[in-house]
Amino acid sequence: MQRCSAIITEDPVQAAPTHPGPLTGLRFAVKDVMDVAGTTMGMGHPLWASTHSVADTHADCINQCLVQGAELIGKTQTDELTYSLAGNNHHYGVAPNPAVPDATPGGSSSGSASAVAQGLVDFAIGTDTGGSIRIPASYCGLYGLRPSHGAVSRVGVGSLAPQFDTVGWLAQRADILMAVGEALLPNTETPIPSQVALLNDGMELLDSIMAHKARGAIRSLGLPVSRSISIGSLESYRRVFQVVQAYEAWQTHGEWITANKPVFGPGVAERFDAASKITAEEAQAAQANLNGLRQRVRDLIGDDTIWCMPTVPASALPISAPAEEVDFIRGQTLCLTAVAGVAGLPQLSLPWLRDVRGPVGFSLIGPPGSDRHLLRLARNLAFASHLRKAPGPVPAV
C-alpha cells in the first residue's frame, strides 16, 4: 500500500482567523468530510467530489475555530466515506504514523491524527462514529476527544450514522485540546466528577502487562477510586452498535452508492454490502436492544464518576498485517469503543500507555455533558507531570 501525505496537497485550502481569541497563533487542519467554503468535500473517495457541489460556507466547527483566532491550513485524508477504522485508504494510501513508522495511523480520522503527530498543525478536527478520533489518537500517541453526542455542531459535516456521529479533535498537548474544547463545546454546568472507576469488562481484552499498566494509570488521576464497574459483555454492545450503524450508513449513502457504483477497497466494500442487506425489522430489534444498553450505562455511570479503560487493546497494527488479524483487532477494538458510542458519552483518550510496539491510549469516559471536566482533568494532570519533569504516569516497557 502506497504512502500518502496527511494533508491533501491536491486540494489546498487556507482560511485566516476572523477574530483574535484564545486560539490565536494555532494552526489547524480538518478531516475532508467538512465543508470548506469554495471547495468540495472529498469524503475519502475520488468519485464523491465529482458528484457533489462546492460549499458556499464553512462548517460550523471551522467557523468557531476561526472566530477564536486559529488559522486553517488544510484538509486531511480520511478513510472511504469514514466507514473504516484502519487508516488505509484504497484510493489514496496510508498517511504516516510517526509513533510507529511501519504501522497505520488508524482511521477514519487518519490524516488528522497524522498531521498532528508530525507537528504539521497544532490541532486537527475529525469525526468519530465508531472510534475514528479515539483509535488514531491511541495509535499516534495523541490526546483525542470524542464529545458527548450532540455537544458539537455537525452543520456542514458529512455523515455516516447520525445516531453516533460526533465532531472531535486531536492534539499533542492537553492544554491545546482543552482550548479547542472551550471554542467548540457548549458552556453548560454539570456536576464535577468526584471519583473514578475501572471498567472491568474492558480489561478482559488486554494481556496481563497492559492490564497491570491500566490499573496503575487509574491511580495517577488523583481522584478516589471506587470499586470496579461491570456493564456486562462488551460483545453485546459491539453487536447492536454494528447493526444499527450499518443500517444508518446504508440509509445515509445507499442511494448514492446505488446510483454511482463507486469502487471501494477491501473491508469497506464488504461492510457496505452487508449494510445493504439489513432489514428494517432487524434494525428495529437492534435499536431496541441498544436503547436498553444505553439506559443501563447511563444509570450506572450517574453524574459523578469517570470510568477508565484502555482506548484500544494494543498499539497500531503494521501496514502489512493480514486481513484476518485486522478483522480480529477491529472486532476487539469496537467492543471497547462501542460503550461510549452506544451511550452517547464523552470519551477522552490520553497518551499514557505503551506496549512493546508503541503507544496505547488510556481512556476517561464521563457522564453526558462532562466533556469540559474531562479536558480540565487532562490539562491539570499534564501540567503536574510537566512540573515533576516526569515522562508520564506509566513508563514504557
Side-chain angles (χ1 to χ4, degrees), residues 32-89:
D32 192 19
V33 300
M34 299 176 184
D35 283 341
V36 178
T39 71
T40 306
M41 74 170 70
M43 287 289 287
H45 199 287
L47 192 58
W48 185 271
S50 65
T51 57
H52 289 79
S53 57
V54 172
D56 295 324
T57 58
H58 297 318
D60 280 0
C61 57
I62 296 176
N63 275 328
Q64 286 172 282
C65 290
L66 297 175
V67 166
Q68 296 295 325
E71 177 188 8
L72 174 65
I73 68 155
K75 296 181 181 183
T76 61
Q77 301 285 357
T78 179
D79 295 15
E80 298 165 272
L81 274 59
T82 76
Y83 206 2
S84 175
L85 302 175
N88 187 342
N89 189 298

Short mmCIF file of all heavy atoms in Angstrom, two decimals, residues 32-89:
data_model
loop_
_atom_site.label_atom_id
_atom_site.label_comp_id
_atom_site.label_asym_id
_atom_site.label_seq_id
_atom_site.Cartn_x
_atom_site.Cartn_y
_atom_site.Cartn_z
N ASP A 32 -11.40 15.71 5.69
CA ASP A 32 -12.06 16.05 4.43
C ASP A 32 -13.48 15.48 4.35
O ASP A 32 -13.87 14.85 3.37
CB ASP A 32 -11.22 15.57 3.25
CG ASP A 32 -11.69 16.14 1.92
OD1 ASP A 32 -12.41 17.16 1.92
OD2 ASP A 32 -11.35 15.56 0.87
N VAL A 33 -14.23 15.72 5.41
CA VAL A 33 -15.66 15.41 5.45
C VAL A 33 -16.42 16.64 5.91
O VAL A 33 -17.57 16.54 6.34
CB VAL A 33 -15.96 14.21 6.38
CG1 VAL A 33 -15.23 12.97 5.91
CG2 VAL A 33 -15.60 14.53 7.83
N MET A 34 -15.75 17.80 5.80
CA MET A 34 -16.34 19.04 6.30
C MET A 34 -16.33 20.09 5.20
O MET A 34 -15.41 20.15 4.39
CB MET A 34 -15.52 19.55 7.51
CG MET A 34 -15.52 18.57 8.65
SD MET A 34 -14.50 19.08 10.03
CE MET A 34 -14.67 17.62 11.07
N ASP A 35 -17.38 20.89 5.18
CA ASP A 35 -17.47 21.96 4.19
C ASP A 35 -16.40 23.01 4.44
O ASP A 35 -16.29 23.54 5.57
CB ASP A 35 -18.84 22.63 4.24
CG ASP A 35 -19.92 21.80 3.58
OD1 ASP A 35 -19.59 20.92 2.77
OD2 ASP A 35 -21.11 22.05 3.87
N VAL A 36 -15.61 23.29 3.42
CA VAL A 36 -14.70 24.42 3.42
C VAL A 36 -15.12 25.29 2.25
O VAL A 36 -15.16 24.83 1.10
CB VAL A 36 -13.23 23.97 3.26
CG1 VAL A 36 -12.31 25.18 3.21
CG2 VAL A 36 -12.83 23.04 4.40
N ALA A 37 -15.49 26.51 2.52
CA ALA A 37 -16.07 27.40 1.50
C ALA A 37 -15.18 27.44 0.26
O ALA A 37 -13.97 27.60 0.34
CB ALA A 37 -16.25 28.80 2.07
N GLY A 38 -15.82 27.28 -0.91
CA GLY A 38 -15.11 27.36 -2.18
C GLY A 38 -14.54 26.04 -2.66
O GLY A 38 -13.94 25.98 -3.74
N THR A 39 -14.71 24.97 -1.87
CA THR A 39 -14.22 23.65 -2.27
C THR A 39 -15.32 22.61 -2.06
O THR A 39 -16.37 22.90 -1.48
CB THR A 39 -12.98 23.24 -1.45
OG1 THR A 39 -13.37 22.95 -0.11
CG2 THR A 39 -11.94 24.35 -1.43
N THR A 40 -15.05 21.40 -2.53
CA THR A 40 -15.98 20.30 -2.34
C THR A 40 -15.35 19.26 -1.42
O THR A 40 -14.19 18.88 -1.62
CB THR A 40 -16.32 19.64 -3.69
OG1 THR A 40 -16.78 20.63 -4.60
CG2 THR A 40 -17.38 18.56 -3.53
N MET A 41 -16.08 18.82 -0.42
CA MET A 41 -15.53 17.78 0.46
C MET A 41 -15.32 16.51 -0.34
O MET A 41 -16.07 16.20 -1.28
CB MET A 41 -16.42 17.54 1.67
CG MET A 41 -17.69 16.78 1.41
SD MET A 41 -18.58 16.27 2.92
CE MET A 41 -19.18 17.81 3.57
N GLY A 42 -14.29 15.75 0.02
CA GLY A 42 -13.94 14.55 -0.73
C GLY A 42 -14.45 13.26 -0.13
O GLY A 42 -14.56 12.25 -0.82
N MET A 43 -14.71 13.21 1.19
CA MET A 43 -15.22 12.01 1.88
C MET A 43 -14.36 10.78 1.63
O MET A 43 -14.83 9.64 1.72
CB MET A 43 -16.67 11.73 1.46
CG MET A 43 -17.68 12.68 2.04
SD MET A 43 -17.97 12.49 3.83
CE MET A 43 -18.90 10.96 3.89
N GLY A 44 -13.09 10.99 1.27
CA GLY A 44 -12.19 9.86 1.12
C GLY A 44 -12.39 9.02 -0.12
O GLY A 44 -11.86 7.91 -0.22
N HIS A 45 -13.14 9.55 -1.09
CA HIS A 45 -13.39 8.78 -2.32
C HIS A 45 -13.33 9.72 -3.53
O HIS A 45 -13.98 10.77 -3.53
CB HIS A 45 -14.75 8.08 -2.27
CG HIS A 45 -14.87 6.97 -3.25
ND1 HIS A 45 -14.99 7.16 -4.61
CD2 HIS A 45 -14.84 5.61 -3.07
CE1 HIS A 45 -15.05 6.00 -5.22
NE2 HIS A 45 -14.96 5.04 -4.31
N PRO A 46 -12.58 9.35 -4.57
CA PRO A 46 -12.42 10.26 -5.72
C PRO A 46 -13.72 10.56 -6.46
O PRO A 46 -13.82 11.58 -7.15
CB PRO A 46 -11.43 9.52 -6.63
CG PRO A 46 -11.45 8.09 -6.18
CD PRO A 46 -11.77 8.12 -4.72
N LEU A 47 -14.73 9.69 -6.33
CA LEU A 47 -15.99 9.91 -7.04
C LEU A 47 -16.90 10.87 -6.29
O LEU A 47 -17.81 11.46 -6.88
CB LEU A 47 -16.69 8.57 -7.25
CG LEU A 47 -17.88 8.53 -8.21
CD1 LEU A 47 -17.48 9.01 -9.61
CD2 LEU A 47 -18.47 7.12 -8.26
N TRP A 48 -16.66 11.05 -5.01
CA TRP A 48 -17.59 11.86 -4.20
C TRP A 48 -17.61 13.32 -4.65
O TRP A 48 -18.68 13.90 -4.89
CB TRP A 48 -17.22 11.77 -2.72
CG TRP A 48 -18.18 12.48 -1.82
CD1 TRP A 48 -18.14 13.80 -1.43
CD2 TRP A 48 -19.36 11.93 -1.23
NE1 TRP A 48 -19.19 14.09 -0.61
CE2 TRP A 48 -19.96 12.97 -0.47
CE3 TRP A 48 -19.95 10.67 -1.24
CZ2 TRP A 48 -21.13 12.77 0.25
CZ3 TRP A 48 -21.12 10.48 -0.52
CH2 TRP A 48 -21.69 11.52 0.21
N ALA A 49 -16.42 13.92 -4.76
CA ALA A 49 -16.36 15.35 -5.09
C ALA A 49 -16.99 15.64 -6.44
O ALA A 49 -17.64 16.67 -6.63
CB ALA A 49 -14.92 15.84 -5.06
N SER A 50 -16.82 14.72 -7.40
CA SER A 50 -17.36 14.96 -8.75
C SER A 50 -18.87 14.85 -8.81
O SER A 50 -19.49 15.25 -9.80
CB SER A 50 -16.72 13.98 -9.75
OG SER A 50 -17.10 12.65 -9.45
N THR A 51 -19.49 14.32 -7.76
CA THR A 51 -20.95 14.17 -7.74
C THR A 51 -21.61 15.06 -6.70
O THR A 51 -22.80 14.90 -6.42
CB THR A 51 -21.34 12.70 -7.47
OG1 THR A 51 -20.75 12.27 -6.23
CG2 THR A 51 -20.85 11.79 -8.59
N HIS A 52 -20.83 15.98 -6.13
CA HIS A 52 -21.37 16.89 -5.12
C HIS A 52 -20.92 18.32 -5.42
O HIS A 52 -19.95 18.54 -6.14
CB HIS A 52 -20.93 16.47 -3.71
CG HIS A 52 -21.61 15.22 -3.23
ND1 HIS A 52 -21.20 13.97 -3.63
CD2 HIS A 52 -22.67 15.03 -2.40
CE1 HIS A 52 -21.98 13.06 -3.08
NE2 HIS A 52 -22.87 13.68 -2.32
N SER A 53 -21.63 19.27 -4.86
CA SER A 53 -21.40 20.67 -5.20
C SER A 53 -20.39 21.33 -4.27
O SER A 53 -20.08 20.83 -3.19
CB SER A 53 -22.73 21.44 -5.14
OG SER A 53 -23.32 21.32 -3.85
N VAL A 54 -19.90 22.47 -4.72
CA VAL A 54 -18.94 23.26 -3.95
C VAL A 54 -19.67 23.90 -2.76
O VAL A 54 -20.81 24.36 -2.88
CB VAL A 54 -18.31 24.34 -4.85
CG1 VAL A 54 -17.46 25.31 -4.04
CG2 VAL A 54 -17.47 23.69 -5.95
N ALA A 55 -19.01 23.93 -1.62
CA ALA A 55 -19.60 24.52 -0.41
C ALA A 55 -19.57 26.04 -0.48
O ALA A 55 -18.56 26.63 -0.89
CB ALA A 55 -18.86 24.05 0.82
N ASP A 56 -20.65 26.67 -0.08
CA ASP A 56 -20.71 28.14 -0.02
C ASP A 56 -20.13 28.69 1.28
O ASP A 56 -19.62 29.80 1.32
CB ASP A 56 -22.16 28.61 -0.15
CG ASP A 56 -22.76 28.27 -1.50
OD1 ASP A 56 -22.04 28.32 -2.50
OD2 ASP A 56 -23.97 27.94 -1.53
N THR A 57 -20.23 27.90 2.34
CA THR A 57 -19.78 28.37 3.66
C THR A 57 -19.00 27.27 4.35
O THR A 57 -19.07 26.09 3.98
CB THR A 57 -20.98 28.76 4.55
OG1 THR A 57 -21.84 27.62 4.69
CG2 THR A 57 -21.77 29.90 3.93
N HIS A 58 -18.25 27.66 5.37
CA HIS A 58 -17.53 26.69 6.18
C HIS A 58 -18.50 25.94 7.09
O HIS A 58 -19.55 26.45 7.49
CB HIS A 58 -16.51 27.39 7.08
CG HIS A 58 -15.42 28.10 6.36
ND1 HIS A 58 -14.78 27.59 5.25
CD2 HIS A 58 -14.82 29.30 6.61
CE1 HIS A 58 -13.85 28.44 4.86
NE2 HIS A 58 -13.87 29.49 5.66
N ALA A 59 -18.12 24.72 7.46
CA ALA A 59 -18.83 24.01 8.53
C ALA A 59 -18.77 24.83 9.81
O ALA A 59 -17.82 25.59 10.05
CB ALA A 59 -18.19 22.64 8.75
N ASP A 60 -19.78 24.67 10.65
CA ASP A 60 -19.84 25.44 11.91
C ASP A 60 -18.57 25.29 12.74
O ASP A 60 -18.07 26.27 13.30
CB ASP A 60 -21.03 24.97 12.75
CG ASP A 60 -22.35 25.57 12.29
OD1 ASP A 60 -22.35 26.35 11.31
OD2 ASP A 60 -23.38 25.25 12.92
N CYS A 61 -18.06 24.06 12.85
CA CYS A 61 -16.89 23.84 13.71
C CYS A 61 -15.66 24.58 13.20
O CYS A 61 -14.82 25.04 14.00
CB CYS A 61 -16.60 22.35 13.86
SG CYS A 61 -16.32 21.46 12.32
N ILE A 62 -15.55 24.74 11.89
CA ILE A 62 -14.44 25.51 11.31
C ILE A 62 -14.61 26.98 11.66
O ILE A 62 -13.66 27.65 12.11
CB ILE A 62 -14.36 25.30 9.80
CG1 ILE A 62 -14.03 23.83 9.48
CG2 ILE A 62 -13.32 26.23 9.17
CD1 ILE A 62 -14.02 23.50 8.01
N ASN A 63 -15.81 27.51 11.45
CA ASN A 63 -16.06 28.92 11.79
C ASN A 63 -15.78 29.21 13.25
O ASN A 63 -15.21 30.26 13.59
CB ASN A 63 -17.51 29.28 11.46
CG ASN A 63 -17.70 29.67 10.00
OD1 ASN A 63 -16.79 30.24 9.39
ND2 ASN A 63 -18.85 29.36 9.45
N GLN A 64 -16.16 28.28 14.12
CA GLN A 64 -15.96 28.51 15.56
C GLN A 64 -14.46 28.62 15.89
O GLN A 64 -14.07 29.41 16.75
CB GLN A 64 -16.60 27.38 16.36
CG GLN A 64 -18.12 27.46 16.40
CD GLN A 64 -18.74 26.22 17.03
OE1 GLN A 64 -18.85 25.18 16.39
NE2 GLN A 64 -19.13 26.34 18.29
N CYS A 65 -13.63 27.84 15.21
CA CYS A 65 -12.18 27.92 15.45
C CYS A 65 -11.59 29.19 14.85
O CYS A 65 -10.72 29.83 15.46
CB CYS A 65 -11.50 26.68 14.87
SG CYS A 65 -11.86 25.15 15.76
N LEU A 66 -12.07 29.59 13.68
CA LEU A 66 -11.57 30.82 13.06
C LEU A 66 -11.93 32.04 13.90
O LEU A 66 -11.12 32.96 14.06
CB LEU A 66 -12.14 30.96 11.65
CG LEU A 66 -11.74 29.88 10.62
CD1 LEU A 66 -12.48 30.09 9.31
CD2 LEU A 66 -10.24 29.87 10.38
N VAL A 67 -13.14 32.04 14.45
CA VAL A 67 -13.57 33.15 15.29
C VAL A 67 -12.73 33.25 16.56
O VAL A 67 -12.52 34.34 17.10
CB VAL A 67 -15.07 32.98 15.64
CG1 VAL A 67 -15.49 33.92 16.76
CG2 VAL A 67 -15.93 33.26 14.42
N GLN A 68 -12.21 32.12 17.03
CA GLN A 68 -11.39 32.11 18.24
C GLN A 68 -9.91 32.32 17.95
O GLN A 68 -9.08 32.22 18.86
CB GLN A 68 -11.59 30.79 18.98
CG GLN A 68 -13.00 30.57 19.49
CD GLN A 68 -13.40 31.57 20.55
OE1 GLN A 68 -12.58 32.00 21.36
NE2 GLN A 68 -14.67 31.98 20.55
N GLY A 69 -9.56 32.61 16.69
CA GLY A 69 -8.19 33.01 16.38
C GLY A 69 -7.32 32.00 15.68
O GLY A 69 -6.17 32.29 15.35
N ALA A 70 -7.82 30.77 15.43
CA ALA A 70 -7.00 29.75 14.78
C ALA A 70 -6.95 29.96 13.27
O ALA A 70 -7.86 30.57 12.68
CB ALA A 70 -7.53 28.36 15.10
N GLU A 71 -5.91 29.43 12.65
CA GLU A 71 -5.74 29.52 11.20
C GLU A 71 -5.89 28.14 10.57
O GLU A 71 -5.20 27.19 10.97
CB GLU A 71 -4.36 30.08 10.85
CG GLU A 71 -4.08 30.13 9.35
CD GLU A 71 -2.64 30.50 9.01
OE1 GLU A 71 -1.81 30.56 9.95
OE2 GLU A 71 -2.35 30.72 7.82
N LEU A 72 -6.79 28.01 9.60
CA LEU A 72 -6.97 26.76 8.87
C LEU A 72 -5.93 26.65 7.77
O LEU A 72 -5.79 27.58 6.96
CB LEU A 72 -8.38 26.70 8.27
CG LEU A 72 -8.69 25.50 7.36
CD1 LEU A 72 -8.66 24.20 8.15
CD2 LEU A 72 -10.04 25.69 6.67
N ILE A 73 -5.21 25.53 7.73
CA ILE A 73 -4.17 25.40 6.70
C ILE A 73 -4.36 24.22 5.77
O ILE A 73 -3.57 24.02 4.84
CB ILE A 73 -2.76 25.32 7.32
CG1 ILE A 73 -2.60 24.00 8.08
CG2 ILE A 73 -2.48 26.52 8.21
CD1 ILE A 73 -1.16 23.57 8.19
N GLY A 74 -5.39 23.39 5.97
CA GLY A 74 -5.55 22.28 5.04
C GLY A 74 -6.63 21.30 5.42
O GLY A 74 -7.18 21.32 6.53
N LYS A 75 -6.93 20.45 4.44
CA LYS A 75 -7.81 19.30 4.65
C LYS A 75 -6.95 18.05 4.84
O LYS A 75 -5.86 17.96 4.28
CB LYS A 75 -8.72 19.07 3.44
CG LYS A 75 -9.70 20.17 3.11
CD LYS A 75 -10.50 19.72 1.90
CE LYS A 75 -11.51 20.75 1.45
NZ LYS A 75 -12.33 20.26 0.31
N THR A 76 -7.47 17.09 5.59
CA THR A 76 -6.70 15.88 5.85
C THR A 76 -7.38 14.65 5.25
O THR A 76 -8.59 14.61 5.05
CB THR A 76 -6.50 15.66 7.35
OG1 THR A 76 -7.79 15.52 7.99
CG2 THR A 76 -5.75 16.83 7.97
N GLN A 77 -6.56 13.64 5.00
CA GLN A 77 -7.04 12.38 4.44
C GLN A 77 -8.01 11.69 5.39
O GLN A 77 -7.94 11.85 6.61
CB GLN A 77 -5.85 11.44 4.18
CG GLN A 77 -4.80 11.97 3.23
CD GLN A 77 -5.24 11.93 1.77
OE1 GLN A 77 -6.33 11.43 1.45
NE2 GLN A 77 -4.39 12.43 0.89
N THR A 78 -8.90 10.90 4.81
CA THR A 78 -9.82 10.10 5.60
C THR A 78 -10.07 8.78 4.90
O THR A 78 -9.80 8.63 3.70
CB THR A 78 -11.17 10.84 5.80
OG1 THR A 78 -12.05 10.00 6.56
CG2 THR A 78 -11.84 11.15 4.47
N ASP A 79 -10.56 7.81 5.64
CA ASP A 79 -10.95 6.54 5.04
C ASP A 79 -12.23 6.73 4.22
O ASP A 79 -12.96 7.69 4.40
CB ASP A 79 -11.18 5.49 6.13
CG ASP A 79 -9.90 5.16 6.88
OD1 ASP A 79 -8.92 5.90 6.76
OD2 ASP A 79 -9.88 4.15 7.61
N GLU A 80 -12.50 5.80 3.33
CA GLU A 80 -13.61 5.93 2.38
C GLU A 80 -14.95 6.08 3.09
O GLU A 80 -15.39 5.19 3.82
CB GLU A 80 -13.66 4.71 1.47
CG GLU A 80 -12.42 4.53 0.61
CD GLU A 80 -12.35 3.15 0.01
OE1 GLU A 80 -11.81 2.25 0.67
OE2 GLU A 80 -12.86 2.97 -1.11
N LEU A 81 -15.59 7.23 2.88
CA LEU A 81 -16.88 7.56 3.45
C LEU A 81 -16.89 7.36 4.97
O LEU A 81 -17.93 7.17 5.59
CB LEU A 81 -18.02 6.77 2.80
CG LEU A 81 -18.63 7.38 1.52
CD1 LEU A 81 -17.59 7.54 0.42
CD2 LEU A 81 -19.79 6.54 1.01
N THR A 82 -15.70 7.37 5.57
CA THR A 82 -15.41 7.21 7.00
C THR A 82 -15.80 5.83 7.54
O THR A 82 -15.79 5.64 8.76
CB THR A 82 -16.09 8.30 7.87
OG1 THR A 82 -17.48 8.04 8.01
CG2 THR A 82 -15.86 9.69 7.30
N TYR A 83 -16.07 4.86 6.67
CA TYR A 83 -16.54 3.55 7.13
C TYR A 83 -15.37 2.59 7.33
O TYR A 83 -15.35 1.49 6.77
CB TYR A 83 -17.56 2.99 6.14
CG TYR A 83 -18.56 2.02 6.76
CD1 TYR A 83 -18.57 1.72 8.11
CD2 TYR A 83 -19.53 1.43 5.96
CE1 TYR A 83 -19.49 0.86 8.66
CE2 TYR A 83 -20.47 0.55 6.50
CZ TYR A 83 -20.44 0.27 7.85
OH TYR A 83 -21.37 -0.59 8.38
N SER A 84 -14.42 2.99 8.14
CA SER A 84 -13.26 2.16 8.44
C SER A 84 -12.55 2.72 9.66
O SER A 84 -12.66 3.91 9.94
CB SER A 84 -12.29 2.11 7.24
OG SER A 84 -11.12 1.40 7.56
N LEU A 85 -11.83 1.87 10.33
CA LEU A 85 -11.02 2.29 11.47
C LEU A 85 -9.53 2.09 11.21
O LEU A 85 -8.71 2.31 12.08
CB LEU A 85 -11.41 1.48 12.72
CG LEU A 85 -12.87 1.58 13.16
CD1 LEU A 85 -13.14 0.64 14.33
CD2 LEU A 85 -13.25 3.00 13.52
N ALA A 86 -9.19 1.67 9.98
CA ALA A 86 -7.83 1.22 9.70
C ALA A 86 -6.86 2.34 9.35
O ALA A 86 -5.67 2.25 9.60
CB ALA A 86 -7.84 0.19 8.57
N GLY A 87 -7.34 3.42 8.71
CA GLY A 87 -6.43 4.45 8.23
C GLY A 87 -5.70 4.03 6.97
O GLY A 87 -4.58 4.47 6.71
N ASN A 88 -6.34 3.20 6.19
CA ASN A 88 -5.73 2.63 4.98
C ASN A 88 -6.70 2.83 3.83
O ASN A 88 -7.61 2.03 3.61
CB ASN A 88 -5.45 1.15 5.22
CG ASN A 88 -4.68 0.50 4.10
OD1 ASN A 88 -4.61 1.02 3.00
ND2 ASN A 88 -4.09 -0.65 4.38
N ASN A 89 -6.53 3.93 3.07
CA ASN A 89 -7.47 4.27 2.01
C ASN A 89 -7.06 3.61 0.70
O ASN A 89 -5.95 3.80 0.21
CB ASN A 89 -7.54 5.79 1.83
CG ASN A 89 -8.64 6.23 0.90
OD1 ASN A 89 -8.66 5.88 -0.27
ND2 ASN A 89 -9.59 7.01 1.42
#
